[in-house]
Amino acid sequence: MTAKRTRLVVAALIVIAAAAAAACGGSPAGPSINLAGAWSGALTFVTAGVTVTDSVTATLSQSGSSVTGGWTSAGGTTGQLTLTAAADITGTTTISQTTITGQVCSGSTSVSGTATSSRLELSLGALTATGSCPWATNQQMVLTR
């Protein structure tokens, strides 16, 4: 290979590498979904074979792709959400509920689902029963704004 041809091949490789780097972007893009703000909707779960729906509100804050915030149901159940902003959302939630006998039951579980800037559909993972704190199954939270 001649020196001139070698320089052309090297120059072409540099151009290709520069184009590939530009296509990938120099810095990661921020989240495309803004989940910060006030949300309302429903918490649905199954207990003793009966499907129950309870209204719920949440207030979320967002920094980059990290989303955190609290939620409360009309029935008194409360919790904290920690999510990653994305169309396919994952994270965790804590949950706290006072029984009719006054015992406070609390736990944490995984959360997964889908998100848009105006709708969150979340499935809560199974919660382990502790003492006299049985948890409902099939917990779903749907929030809109």
Side-chain angles (χ1 to χ4, degrees):
M1 188 180 284
T2 66
K4 185 176 180 180
R5 187 170 182 181
T6 301
R7 284 191 301 265
L8 286 173
V9 169
V10 169
L13 290 174
I14 291 171
V15 169
I16 291 170
C24 292
S27 62
S32 60
I33 298 175
N34 180 1
L35 301 179
W39 296 80
S40 62
L43 174 65
T44 305
F45 55 92
V46 177
T47 184
V50 176
T51 300
V52 177
T53 301
D54 195 3
S55 61
V56 65
T57 59
T59 302
L60 304 178
S61 299
Q62 184 169 339
S63 176
S65 62
S66 297
V67 179
T68 58
W71 60 272
T72 303
S73 78
T77 304
T78 62
Q80 292 291 316
L81 286 166
T82 302
L83 307 169
T84 300
D88 292 320
I89 202 161
T90 59
T92 60
T93 189
T94 61
I95 188 168
S96 182
Q97 171 182 325
T98 303
T99 66
I100 57 173
T101 62
Q103 181 179 4
V104 176
C105 299
S106 58
S108 63
T109 189
S110 62
V111 174
S112 63
T114 58
T116 67
S117 59
S118 62
R119 185 174 177 88
L120 288 170
E121 294 186 19
L122 305 173
S123 295
L124 282 62
L127 288 156
T128 304
T130 54
S132 62
C133 294
W135 290 104
T137 59
N138 300 320
Q139 296 188 73
Q140 308 287 317
M141 190 181 299
V142 176
L143 301 168
T144 58
R145 58 175 167 179

